[in-house]
Amino acid sequence: GDSVTQMEGPVTLSEEAFLTINCTYTATGYPSLFWYVQYPGEGLQLLLKATKADDKGSNKGFEATYRKETTSFHLEKGSVQVSDSAVYFCALSLVAAGNKLTFGGGTRVLVKP
Amino acid sequence: EAGVAQSPRYKIIEKRQSVAFWCNPISGHATLYWYQQILGQGPKLLIQFQNNGVVDDSQLPKDRFSAERLKGVDSTLKIQPAKLEDSAVYLCASSSPASGGPGELFFGEGSRLTVL
């Protein structure tokens, strides 16, 4: 079945450090890919998305590129802030599966001042 | 616009008791989802509604879980009887083509269930 695998956390960084969270997927078909974020005490919210190969999604300084050849969608940010501390979820959706989201296990990121 | 509303935010029950969670999606959103998020894991889809019809309930443990979406607006998820392994956060989400592309879901803050 369709699945998403992402690196386990927690990831602890200092402010202004470079962040990478790896995400790979398995899908029967051509999925759209997403990163969702869950800040402490808040609900899940969409961070960025990409719908076709080589697309780059970006938002709030975060970027991820849809790599079909490696079935990956790694999340990066060049200089993290304390406010980026959150749990990050990689996810995919397929039109043939009713556009439901299939999530990875989540990666907790803690940024220290 | 108002977001997805869920209640209660927290619920503690003993095993074999029953519990119900309520969700009111964003106005006009035809698609509604219930996800289960066990601590340390990603959310797992339980059921998806399109208006008041079920699109996907393949992962819903139907011997104890039930869900309905009467009139195609708000929804209720029920667990009866609860087991210890049902301890989780139950997330409701909604979507609409007018509010984003496929896979762009709007989530509520969740209902945290603890089964003792």
Side-chain angles (χ1 to χ4, degrees):
Chain A
D2 306 322
S3 66
V4 176
T5 302
Q6 59 182 107
M7 61 189 286
E8 290 190 17
V11 175
T12 303
L13 303 164
S14 297
E15 233 176 353
E16 299 183 3
F18 183 86
L19 170 67
T20 298
I21 304 176
N22 290 339
C23 170
T24 57
Y25 67 89
T26 302
T28 52
Y30 201 146
S32 294
L33 301 174
F34 305 83
W35 279 99
Y36 276 76
V37 60
Q38 191 169 36
Y39 297 106
E42 299 184 17
L44 273 166
Q45 56 188 272
L46 178 65
L47 179 61
L48 54 82
K49 70 173 185 177
T51 58
K52 60 184 187 294
D54 300 325
D55 264 3
K56 177 185 285 188
S58 61
N59 187 25
K60 299 183 180 180
F62 289 88
E63 293 183 340
T65 301
Y66 190 145
R67 299 290 187 199
K68 193 168 188 291
E69 64 276 14
T70 54
T71 62
S72 64
F73 192 55
H74 305 321
L75 183 68
E76 296 181 338
K77 185 173 185 181
S79 177
V80 294
Q81 306 299 313
V82 172
S83 56
D84 294 324
S85 297
V87 182
Y88 294 82
F89 293 91
C90 187
L92 66 82
S93 77
L94 286 157
V95 173
N99 293 316
K100 68 184 182 189
L101 286 170
T102 299
F103 287 92
T107 302
R108 182 175 298 277
V109 173
L110 178 60
V111 181
K112 295 185 174 180
Chain B
E1 76 189 341
V4 176
Q6 291 188 245
S7 68
R9 289 294 310 278
Y10 305 93
K11 188 74 176 179
I12 300 174
I13 61 172
E14 298 201 347
K15 60 183 179 183
R16 291 188 289 274
Q17 287 187 323
S18 62
V19 63
F21 302 112
W22 174 83
C23 171
N24 190 31
I26 293 173
S27 178
H29 281 199
T31 309
L32 184 147
Y33 310 79
W34 283 101
Y35 280 84
Q36 180 192 56
Q37 186 177 13
I38 294 173
L39 186 65
Q41 299 181 19
K44 182 186 81 172
L45 180 71
L46 292 175
I47 189 167
Q48 176 184 350
F49 291 95
Q50 180 72 22
N51 296 307
N52 60 351
V54 175
V55 174
D56 184 349
D57 63 357
S58 57
Q59 304 249 50
L60 186 74
K62 298 181 185 64
D63 57 335
R64 298 183 300 105
F65 286 65
S66 65
E68 60 182 13
R69 191 183 183 197
L70 300 176
K71 301 180 183 178
V73 182
D74 56 353
S75 176
T76 303
L77 176 71
K78 296 179 181 177
I79 308 173
Q80 181 179 15
K83 292 185 174 181
L84 296 176
E85 59 260 36
D86 299 332
S87 294
V89 177
Y90 291 86
L91 299 170
C92 180
S94 67
S95 68
S96 165
S99 299
E104 291 191 41
L105 275 56
F106 295 80
F107 284 83
E109 293 184 343
S111 295
R112 182 179 297 276
L113 173 66
T114 301
V115 182
L116 303 176

